Amino acid sequence: MKQRRRRKKQVALSEDMTYDKAAKEVLALRQILAPILKRLVPEFRMLSFDTIARDCIEGATWVGTIPVAPGRTNRAFHRHAPQRIRGLQTEQSERDEGWITYDVLFYARIPDTEQRIKFIINVEAQRSDPSYKLMKRAIFYASRLISSQKERDFVGQDYDRVCKVYSIWLCFYLPAGEKSSINQYEFKEMNVYGNHHEERMDYDLINVTTVHVGDDEPEDELLRFLQLIFLQQTTEQQKAEQMRKEFGIDVQDDTRKGLEDMCNLSSGLKERARAEGEARGEARGEARGEARGTEKTWVASVRNLMKSMKLTAQQAVEAVAVPMELRAKVLEQL
């Protein structure tokens, strides 16, 4: 029994990691990033989605590869020199708590201006409320993106070349009693005495944005867009059609593939949760008719796991811990 529970937990963890990796890969797509940047980065507000995707996002988008830890950020930047959009390993954490990585990291510029302003933009996805204050982590990440520019984006004391940093946190959960929301935090000048002022561009170097996305019905376009991509239980074709009709985005092949992966994984996680819930109900001695419904749910859960994890029917049945009395019937239907 303990071994079966342990195996079940391992498969659940593997599914969650696969989902998180797929979510990061989707966030790294230019067509998905463009609406996020247009809504949350003031310098991009007047630009079209196509212009942002084509002309503003520069070089590679790093997915889960650039460490936050001091001394490692620069080395990773140099090792993964910007060439093209690509996805690499998922986020890691080591015992010393120093080896953590940015989910999605990339450079961006304002096109067609006399002074081409460069930004370093970090996008993080959170699926659950952490045990710590997320805002403090967000500021820490943004600060590391500022300090790690030395000897990478500028050398010596050439601090005029420091790039502005945007740290955007997409939170797919809502704090208790709250609705979907967008909050931004930035440096502002307060003239305490006298009439001295600094140019805004010299101190406005860090912007932290938190976006909490729930299943309510917000009026904000970006919140609806994120709900569509990550929360709505619809097919890839339906998502692509809604992106075209509601947001004016003609979905490209790489975006379509990302949406398809998200749909498959979301379906698998949903079926697993339903199967686990109904299995717990069965253990409490619910009626036989409901047990037959549970059997169908186990079949759907196993089938989705076979597809997402490339397992055989027997392996998937054991991995999700289908009750022994149902295994023969589940395998027969598969």
Side-chain angles (χ1 to χ4, degrees):
M1 180 67 72
K2 290 183 178 179
Q3 186 176 3
R4 188 172 69 180
R5 289 175 181 168
R6 188 181 304 111
R7 187 183 300 115
K8 188 175 180 181
K9 288 182 179 179
Q10 290 173 343
V11 171
L13 178 61
S14 179
E15 280 186 296
D16 290 339
M17 291 176 64
T18 302
Y19 180 91
D20 289 342
K21 182 177 184 298
K24 294 174 187 178
E25 297 286 354
V26 169
L27 279 173
L29 295 168
R30 292 173 184 262
Q31 285 196 305
I32 303 300
L33 284 172
I36 297 174
L37 299 188
K38 181 178 176 64
R39 178 68 177 88
L40 301 181
V41 180
E43 291 85 351
F44 294 154
R45 293 259 167 88
M46 303 306 294
L47 303 178
S48 68
F49 292 155
D50 287 342
T51 298
I52 295 172
R54 183 184 63 248
D55 301 331
C56 297
I57 300 173
E58 290 200 334
T61 298
W62 291 286
V63 181
T65 58
I66 304 300
V68 180
R72 290 179 172 177
T73 309
N74 282 348
R75 289 204 300 270
F77 260 117
H78 289 308
R79 187 166 62 249
H80 301 294
Q83 296 293 332
R84 57 185 175 85
I85 295 291
R86 62 184 179 218
L88 300 171
Q89 67 189 49
T90 56
E91 185 172 5
Q92 305 179 43
S93 178
E94 298 293 347
R95 291 182 179 178
D96 63 6
E97 298 181 0
W99 182 248
I100 51 178
T101 59
Y102 298 101
D103 278 3
V104 180
L105 186 64
F106 59 97
Y107 285 96
R109 290 180 184 264
I110 299 292
D112 302 324
T113 59
E114 293 183 4
Q115 182 179 7
R116 289 170 61 79
I117 306 172
K118 182 163 74 170
F119 309 96
I120 301 176
I121 300 178
N122 156 235
V123 180
E124 299 280 335
Q126 296 284 308
R127 284 202 294 143
S128 60
D129 197 352
S131 58
Y132 50 83
K133 297 297 183 181
L134 181 64
M135 180 54 55
K136 292 188 176 182
R137 181 184 178 187
I139 293 174
F140 175 79
Y141 274 38
S143 300
R144 281 295 301 135
L145 284 174
I146 289 288
S147 63
S148 65
Q149 293 178 45
K150 195 173 191 309
E151 310 308 327
R152 185 187 71 237
D153 294 293
F154 71 93
V155 295
Q157 297 187 1
D158 190 12
Y159 292 102
D160 286 341
R161 297 178 62 86
V162 173
C163 301
K164 185 173 182 178
V165 165
Y166 280 86
S167 185
I168 299 171
W169 294 72
L170 307 180
C171 306
F172 296 98
Y173 64 87
L174 294 181
E178 295 187 11
K179 296 183 178 180
S180 296
S181 62
I182 300 174
N183 290 72
Q184 290 195 316
Y185 307 86
E186 59 187 8
F187 280 100
K188 292 185 177 180
E189 182 184 64
M190 292 190 299
N191 186 239
V192 179
Y193 179 80
N195 58 4
H196 174 76
H197 293 281
E198 295 286 347
E199 292 289 336
R200 181 180 177 85
M201 63 180 297
D202 292 333
Y203 62 81
D204 183 23
L205 295 177
I206 290 182
N207 180 295
V208 173
T209 300
T210 59
V211 182
H212 284 90
V213 187
D215 57 3
D216 51 350
E217 298 181 358
E219 297 181 358
D220 187 84
E221 185 175 278
L222 175 61
L223 292 172
R224 296 199 310 273
F225 178 78
L226 294 173
Q227 284 181 338
L228 169 65
I229 302 301
F230 295 100
L231 298 184
Q232 286 188 21
Q233 295 293 325
T234 56
T235 65
E236 166 264 322
Q237 293 91 340
Q238 291 172 320
K239 288 181 187 289
E241 182 63 18
Q242 192 169 342
M243 285 176 67
R244 185 184 66 81
K245 287 184 176 180
E246 186 172 351
F247 304 102
I249 300 174
D250 291 323
V251 178
Q252 299 172 355
D253 290 342
D254 57 347
T255 304
R256 191 177 294 274
K257 177 62 169 62
L259 293 177
E260 182 179 3
D261 291 342
M262 288 296 298
C263 289
N264 291 337
L265 290 166
S266 295
S267 178
L269 292 177
K270 186 177 181 181
E271 291 296 341
R272 187 187 79 198
R274 182 184 299 133
E276 291 172 347
E278 294 191 12
R280 286 192 295 269
E282 185 184 64
R284 291 193 299 268
E286 294 193 1
R288 182 176 300 176
E290 188 161 335
R292 287 196 293 269
T294 302
E295 178 185 321
K296 295 180 180 179
T297 305
W298 281 116
V299 171
S301 181
V302 171
R303 182 174 287 120
N304 276 289
L305 187 60
M306 290 169 61
K307 183 175 182 180
S308 62
M309 302 296 294
K310 309 298 183 185
L311 300 178
T312 66
Q314 185 64 47
Q315 289 172 329
V317 164
E318 293 178 358
V320 299
V322 175
M324 294 300 297
E325 64 272 15
L326 294 177
R327 290 194 178 189
K329 294 181 180 180
V330 169
L331 287 169
E332 182 181 353
Q333 293 189 49
L334 290 167

